[in-house]
Amino acid sequence: MSLIAPEQNLFIVDLHYVVDFEEIEPELDAHVEFLERNYASGCFIASGPKVPRTGGVIIATAKGLAELERILEADPFHAKKLARYSITEFRPSMTASQLSS
């Protein structure tokens, strides 16, 4: 059984900080709580900071772009206008064996 449902697309969410990191840092705990909620719901697959730390990346699954955009609105980085989001949607045709159970 696949961990990614056939009817679900994958998304690469590329976060670009639009403020200095000093303004990001106080919101990190709230951002991590946002991430944890979405891992628990099964929406997020992987995430982490960019190297160098100019933003972050989230790999997510959702039924559509509108659903993912609604989810991302709850991110403190979005609500406080600390980051800009670029979203790439794709339908996976191949996945690593680790994504199957």
Side-chain angles (χ1 to χ4, degrees):
M1 179 176 136
S2 178
L3 298 175
I4 303 167
E7 70 277 4
Q8 289 184 314
N9 290 342
L10 290 183
F11 299 86
I12 300 169
V13 181
D14 190 4
L15 284 78
H16 307 273
Y17 298 150
V18 295
V19 297
D20 290 333
F21 189 72
E22 292 77 31
E23 293 182 59
I24 297 292
E25 211 164 15
E27 300 302 323
L28 283 174
D29 288 344
H31 175 70
V32 168
E33 289 175 14
F34 160 79
L35 294 172
E36 288 172 344
R37 283 193 309 274
N38 285 285
Y39 277 106
S41 75
C43 181
F44 290 176
I45 297 169
S47 62
K50 292 180 183 177
V51 178
R53 189 125 190 209
T54 58
V57 176
I58 301 169
I59 307 296
T61 184
K63 291 183 180 172
L65 179 59
E67 178 182 296
L68 180 62
E69 288 175 332
R70 181 185 52 74
I71 290 165
L72 292 173
E73 287 176 0
D75 185 353
F77 290 175
H78 179 277
K80 296 190 177 188
K81 299 182 181 356
L82 303 177
R84 175 174 46 87
Y85 297 74
S86 172
I87 302 171
T88 303
E89 180 177 6
F90 71 100
R91 172 81 46 165
S93 58
M94 296 178 72
T95 59
S97 59
Q98 298 91 318
L99 295 178
S100 297
S101 58

